Amino acid sequence: MTAIQKKPENPIEHLTPEDIEQLGYELDQIRQDVIDSRGASDAHYIRTVIKTQRYLELGSRAVLLFSAFPPAFVAGTAGLSLAKILDNMEIGHNILHGQWDWMRDPKIHSSTWDWDNATPAEQWKHSHNELHHTYTNVIGKDNDLGYGIMRVDEDQPWHPFFLAQPVWCFINAVFFEYGIAAYDLDLGAAIKKKQTKDPEFRRRAKQVLGKIRKQVTKDYVVHPALSIVTGSALTTLAANFTANVVRNLWSNSVILCGHFPEGVETFEKRSIDGETRGEWYVRQMLGSANISGSKAMHIMTGNLSHQIEHHLFPDLPSNRYAEIAPRVKELFDKYDLNYHSAPLPQQVYSAWHKVFRLSLPNNWLDTTDRSNLPEQVKILWAMTTKGPRVRRAAQARLNQQARRKAAAGLLPAA
């Protein structure tokens, strides 16, 4: 992957400006059809999901009062994990997108909803709704690309720091809610720019710490304390920790699958100067990937398994994405664009393959085999331990090796 503006074959160069605007018009028609048909069945859907989630959480927490008994621990932990996933994915994420604001229900509204997550809703809506969905996959504008800790494109300069990015990525997955809280706070930039004493930063940091304190108190103090009388305090604490980790790993995997698999496109900053509505739509289409699967799987992903449809229409009710997906796919085919969709295991593998591949210098992995492994390790060692001049020279050597392999038909042409 590299920014499409620098690819030898731009995937949209066959489209004229008129094609792109016509595509945008046809997508607007799909959106309007859904808006015009929203109604009681959609409202019933989200209310049913919320009711189901609440009963599942309450039932699971009741079972965990007796979690000293292994069957209760397993059942309660599994139920609580599912409840937390539903709360974050199909409910919280989508309500905070404003997908259900049209109902005018103050209890199910993006301005009032709070979720079972360490990041405050206000900060998440800014970093996710306003920034990520506006600048989807624009290098240097969309900080969701790697969350500031990963290299996600060949055009990003390689540094020895990135060798550890599979480790950072895994740690971020395990503690995903806290990673997102730090990301929404823009903690890394504040530290780098020495702005941690700025009043606005301190206000937002206080919000985050307050939300974390609330979550920790609920999961690791109140509910374990309620289980003391049955001798289940420690097992309840362990169950809550396990459920949070399961939720974090699942949420991280779904998001990785929607944004990072091989073949998902990125864009240069200059490409969005004067961007039209149609061009914005095309960027969403090529900068997202879907997960194919069952209806249950779609619900558990918050329907982010329809990531393409979600990025095209982030404010439409999530239960309608499956309905419009065939129409969206028809437009991909009509305009000869790649509709990136695959089963969950394949997308997870692809996303993690990219994480590992881009942790290494460009072309290192592609040009390394058993016969030249010792020599390639020496190159990698030099790039890791020496200065920028050595890195540039070694990178040029790797690029030359890649060109030779491509010329021999052993690699795709670069």
Side-chain angles (χ1 to χ4, degrees), residues 249-403:
L249 289 172
W250 176 258
S251 302
N252 178 264
S253 293
V254 170
I255 291 169
L256 281 181
C257 289
H259 297 92
F260 298 119
E262 301 282 6
V264 173
E265 306 291 355
T266 57
F267 305 81
E268 289 189 310
K269 282 187 192 179
R270 63 182 175 86
S271 70
I272 62 172
D273 291 341
E275 186 176 60
T276 66
R277 177 70 170 170
E279 290 168 338
W280 182 88
Y281 270 138
V282 170
R283 180 158 54 83
Q284 308 308 312
M285 295 167 81
L286 300 182
S288 310
N290 282 5
I291 306 169
S292 58
S294 66
K295 183 176 181 179
M297 192 275 293
H298 293 317
I299 293 174
M300 294 305 293
T301 66
N303 275 289
L304 294 182
S305 46
H306 296 105
Q307 189 71 246
I308 294 171
E309 287 72 24
H310 172 62
H311 265 269
L312 289 171
F313 314 115
D315 60 345
L316 293 186
S318 58
N319 62 308
R320 305 296 288 274
Y321 290 149
E323 172 190 321
I324 64 175
R327 294 176 65 185
V328 172
K329 174 66 165 57
E330 287 177 4
L331 289 181
F332 272 80
D333 294 339
K334 177 180 178 179
Y335 290 94
D336 195 22
L337 298 172
N338 178 38
Y339 189 82
H340 197 314
S341 182
L344 180 65
Q346 185 175 329
Q347 295 291 47
V348 169
Y349 171 81
S350 180
W352 275 93
H353 179 271
K354 183 189 290 185
V355 170
F356 276 88
R357 180 172 65 81
L358 292 176
S359 71
L360 297 162
N362 290 350
N363 295 317
W364 189 91
L365 196 61
D366 289 336
T367 58
T368 301
D369 53 40
R370 291 183 181 180
S371 64
N372 69 353
L373 181 58
E375 180 182 353
Q376 296 293 91
V377 169
K378 289 180 181 179
I379 293 175
L380 181 59
W381 176 254
M383 295 182 75
T384 303
T385 59
K386 305 295 182 181
R389 182 178 297 179
V390 172
R391 284 201 291 272
R392 286 194 295 269
Q395 185 62 69
R397 184 176 177 182
L398 290 172
N399 294 343
Q400 185 180 52
Q401 289 179 2
R403 286 193 293 268

Side-chain angles (χ1 to χ4, degrees), residues 120 122-123 180-210:
E122 173 190 324
Q123 295 185 28
I180 292 298
Y183 166 74
D184 291 343
L185 181 60
D186 209 8
L187 179 60
I191 293 173
K192 185 177 181 180
K193 297 177 183 178
K194 298 181 180 180
Q195 295 177 340
T196 53
K197 294 183 179 180
D198 177 76
E200 176 58 20
F201 174 80
R202 289 194 168 192
R203 182 191 71 81
R204 292 186 293 111
K206 186 177 180 180
Q207 275 188 327
V208 173
L209 291 174

